[in-house]
Each structure stands twice: as structure tokens, then as C-alpha cells.
Amino acid sequence: MTHQPDPSHVNQSQSEHAHRPPSFWRSRAGIYLIVALAVGGLLLGYEHRVHILSSGLLIWLPLLLCVGMHFFMHGGHGGHGGHGKGDDQ
């Protein structure tokens, strides 16, 4: 027994989605901001490379990258999908 969505509800949600303004990060100003922050970060890293490489903290970078990738790729807690959902209904 499957539940079919109400067609009027589907059309309403599609029309609401069509009128939503675009995200800031996909706008021209958002893209410019991302590029400016990336270039600024690269220049800052280049100018301070001696301090960064000789600090001894560089060894922790792979661990931080793994944690960061896990967090952003799964979208935080609850993003693993399928956990706790029983298929034996």
C-alpha cells in the first residue's frame, strides 16, 4: 500500500520553488566573494609560508582534512542516509 502525493500539492510546491530567489553563493557577488577569499588566502599563505611550514602543526593537516571532508560531504549529523530505517516492514 503506497501513498500517492496529492497532485495539487506537488504543483503548489513546484510553483513556490520557481519563485524563490537564487542563492547568494550562486549570484555574481557570491562568486566574486569566493574568488576574492581564495586569492586572499593563497596570498596570505604564500607570504607566511615560512611560519606555516616550520611550526610543526603541518603534521595535523591530514587529520583535519579527513574530519572536514566527513563533515561537509555528509552534511553534518544525520546525513549518512539509511541509518535507523528498517527495510523489513
Side-chain angles (χ1 to χ4, degrees):
M1 178 188 248
T2 60
H3 179 266
Q4 297 294 330
D6 183 18
S8 63
H9 178 67
V10 172
N11 291 336
Q12 182 183 6
S13 66
Q14 288 175 352
S15 65
E16 289 175 3
H17 181 67
H19 296 295
R20 184 186 303 170
S23 171
F24 170 75
W25 298 110
R26 294 193 182 262
S27 68
R28 184 178 291 187
I31 293 172
Y32 286 154
L33 179 63
I34 291 170
V35 170
L37 290 174
V39 169
L42 288 173
L43 289 174
L44 188 66
Y46 180 74
E47 289 295 324
H48 295 279
R49 66 188 178 276
V50 174
H51 307 294
I52 294 170
L53 295 175
S54 67
S55 68
L57 295 176
L58 195 61
I59 197 162
W60 293 100
L61 185 63
L63 180 64
L64 292 174
L65 284 174
C66 290
V67 171
M69 283 176 47
H70 183 82
F71 178 75
F72 287 113
M73 292 179 77
H74 288 296
H77 292 284
H80 290 269
H83 289 300
K85 295 180 181 175
D87 293 333
D88 57 346
Q89 294 177 353

